[in-house]
Amino acid sequence: MNPPLLILALAALASAQNFVDVKPSPQQVQWQDLEFGVLIHFGPNTFMDREWGEGNADPSVFNPAQFNPEQWVLAAKSAGAKYLVMVAKHHDGFCLWPSHYTEYSVKHSPWKGGKGDVVGEVARAARKHGLKFGVYLSPWDRHEPAYKDNKKYDEYYRNELRELASNYGDLVEWWLDGAGSEAHVYDFDSYVKELRTYQPNTLLFADVGFLSYGDIRWVGNEAGFAQEDNWNVIDRLGYLRWRPVEADTPLRKLHWFWHPNDEKSLNSLAEMLDIYHKTVGRGAQLVLGLAPDNRGLLPDSDVARLKEFGDEIRRIYGKNVGREDNAALDGDPDTTWSPPPGAQPGEIMGYYNPPITFDRAVTTEWLAGGQRVQKYAIDFNDGTAWHRIASGTSIGHKKIDIFPRVTASQVRLLILSASDTPVIRDFQLYDGRGK
Ligand code: FUL
């Protein structure tokens, strides 16, 4: 090998990545702990019974008489949501804030005499009630004439981005939706640079096919489920990155915007619980689509379903029946447990006298040092023998295993395979079907 080639080969070796070495940023660690947020769609489509506007709706259609974002926020909070992402501009190009860069916005609507700012009011309401706030700004724009000219449109998008990123406080997330953009080339590098200038801590959401280096990846469907095998580190074009998954799905099936006479599409409580268990319960983030109606309020049935869902989650996961005073079983996410060096398998054991009855386990991994557990199992002892009730591969941020109700005097979590010393935040047991 000649010297320059040798140097290249050594350099490649020095930078070779192993997924074990890839860790989340502090912002990602915090964001994953939020677990559940909402994504709000509201705009001309709301008044026109549409999902994708063509960008030719007259701004005069936007006129919600009872606009009240506090009602949205309180409903989201009752469901347990910790953050709110507002669609500031959907594919129709209509801006819900008074942008200086277009006339196609709330400025020309009759709402508040053209002096209103939906984004500002929603951001204030969210923060007032303790929710973090984020923004969705559609790259695909069916109204803006500059869209035909890639360079001009890049400048337009950056201008809008700068307004949103510099006037509405800290943003928890920036949503880059890839829909409709297949044939368009964007200068994403310049968007990200602009975003980072004003929002160094915001996390960028994007489909991996759309943008190789987002901070959060799209789950790949809008039906509300993540894969059971859920790894936070994924390879994109030979480059490993911590990219936790976010699953977006609407409260009303297939409908991101409000539509009249649409009661049938509202998810049932059972469907909501299933979504929760297949997203949050598989270590993914859930972002639930909410759609205020043409009054500017969430429909009563949506408000009721959100509260019912939150109440049910609080009931099921309210009492950890396996709680004991040690770092793994104490229910405290800030204390962690690791097996002694060389222990194979690593084992957390709970002893219960009198025996406990439960039908699910919640296991959480401390991810700041990386995702390590690759295979685990859960066993219980009914007083005579051990029985396996659950097993899996990844644990990650949170793994919920649901099984038939059992009564046990001993329960154990076995870490059967890990890429490095496993760090478990908690192993909890609940009796969800018990009354
Ligand atoms: C999709 C969009 O096309 C939908 O209208 C909605 O905004 C959803 C969250 O993302 O890609």
Side-chain angles (χ1 to χ4, degrees), residues 47-248:
F47 299 82
M48 301 181 75
D49 198 5
R50 296 199 70 139
E51 278 293 304
W52 279 9
E54 284 165 27
N56 52 14
D58 195 287
S60 66
V61 302
F62 185 80
N63 197 11
Q66 297 175 56
F67 176 76
N68 181 3
E70 274 196 68
Q71 186 243 17
W72 317 350
V73 168
L74 290 172
K77 225 182 142 171
S78 77
K82 298 283 189 311
Y83 63 101
L84 181 156
V85 178
M86 183 68 209
V87 176
K89 174 186 89 168
H90 200 245
H91 310 323
D92 64 358
F94 186 81
C95 295
L96 290 176
W97 79 104
S99 173
H100 291 301
Y101 299 97
T102 179
E103 296 308 309
Y104 199 50
S105 80
V106 282
K107 274 193 304 206
H108 291 288
S109 76
W111 178 64
K112 300 203 166 178
K115 300 269 182 288
D117 178 352
V118 173
V119 177
E121 288 204 36
V122 177
R124 260 196 307 282
R127 297 208 176 92
K128 177 171 169 192
H129 295 286
L131 296 198
K132 293 188 182 296
F133 181 71
V135 162
Y136 164 130
L137 181 67
S138 172
W140 186 28
D141 190 319
R142 303 176 89 183
H143 177 86
E144 174 51 39
Y147 194 73
K148 290 191 284 298
D149 179 328
N150 291 359
K151 280 218 155 11
K152 266 203 195 146
Y153 183 73
D154 285 336
E155 194 181 327
Y156 179 75
Y157 190 94
R158 280 194 305 266
N159 285 335
E160 292 191 320
L161 179 152
R162 192 178 334 100
E163 285 183 327
L164 292 166
S166 54
N167 290 321
Y168 297 96
D170 283 349
L171 302 179
V172 67
E173 187 171 337
W174 185 272
W175 240 76
L176 264 192
D177 183 354
S181 289
E182 294 75 12
H184 192 105
V185 178
Y186 300 92
D187 182 3
F188 283 126
D189 288 358
S190 72
Y191 298 4
V192 176
K193 225 193 238 169
E194 197 78 15
L195 182 63
R196 290 276 170 257
T197 305
Y198 299 94
Q199 295 283 339
N201 290 321
T202 197
L203 295 184
L204 187 64
F205 164 94
D207 174 17
V208 283
F210 190 49
L211 176 69
S212 318
Y213 48 84
D215 306 303
I216 303 165
R217 76 181 195 271
W218 183 43
V219 72
N221 67 72
E222 291 184 340
F225 68 92
Q227 287 176 349
E228 197 150 6
D229 232 359
N230 182 3
W231 306 104
N232 285 282
V233 177
I234 63 151
D235 177 334
R236 179 74 189 151
L237 310 172
Y239 173 60
L240 293 175
R241 242 196 126 190
W242 190 272
R243 301 246 315 211
V245 71
E246 186 170 44
D248 60 314

